[in-house]
């Protein structure tokens, strides 16, 4: 295994936490589409930070693929976490692009409940990434 890159982990994890907090503010303002997209981004940053901190490449935006890369690196990924990743992956494009729906704009399709589900999924991804990283001790 490559040496751990604590700085790389820390900067990606900090961005994940910041983006999750921003998504929660969007939720409170009623911007449910953006809250959902930011939930995806927070999960993506957390998983990419974990991979990069482990000295592994981290490319793409699909959380389920990033989890696959972590599996290939020897990490056990719970099925429930894969489900959270699928929930978040569903928001990567539809939350932002007006042509993702047959008519109207994304904000018209997003609800508070949908955004809350995405934010909970992101919290689960961040928590798991933190637990994996904590397993390596401290620098």
């Amino acid at each position: 295994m490559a040496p751990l890159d604590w700085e790389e982990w820390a900067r990606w994890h900090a961005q994940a936490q910041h983006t999750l907090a921003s998504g929660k503010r969007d939720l409170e303002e009623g911007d449910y589409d953006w809250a959902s997209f930011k939930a995806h981004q927070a999960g993506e940053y957390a998983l990419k930070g974990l991979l990069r901190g482990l000295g592994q490449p981290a490319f793409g935006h699909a959380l389920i693929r990033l989890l696959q890369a972590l599996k290939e690196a020897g990490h056990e990924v719970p099925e429930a976490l894969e489900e959270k990743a699928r929930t978040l992956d569903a928001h990567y494009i539809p939350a932002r692009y007006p042509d993702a729906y047959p008519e109207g704009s994304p904000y018209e399709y997003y609800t508070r409940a949908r955004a809350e589900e995405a934010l909970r999924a992101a919290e689960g991804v961040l928590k798991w990434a933190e637990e994996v990283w904590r397993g390596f001790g401290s620098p």
Side-chain angles (χ1 to χ4, degrees), residues 50-125:
L50 184 54
L51 281 161
R52 289 173 184 247
L54 296 170
Q56 300 290 319
F59 299 103
H61 304 286
L63 276 64
I64 198 71
R65 298 294 175 250
L66 295 170
L67 287 176
Q68 183 61 40
L70 285 159
K71 281 184 181 181
E72 291 168 6
H75 297 279
E76 186 175 325
V77 175
E79 191 174 317
L81 189 69
E82 290 179 343
E83 191 57 37
K84 287 175 178 34
R86 286 184 185 92
T87 295
L88 293 170
D89 281 343
H91 300 295
Y92 181 67
I93 291 177
R96 299 178 296 144
Y97 290 94
D99 62 353
Y101 294 96
E103 59 183 58
S105 295
Y107 75 88
E108 297 173 285
Y109 289 84
Y110 276 82
T111 63
R112 182 176 188 90
R114 195 171 183 196
E116 286 173 341
E117 176 189 38
L119 291 165
R120 281 193 306 273
E123 287 172 338
V125 171

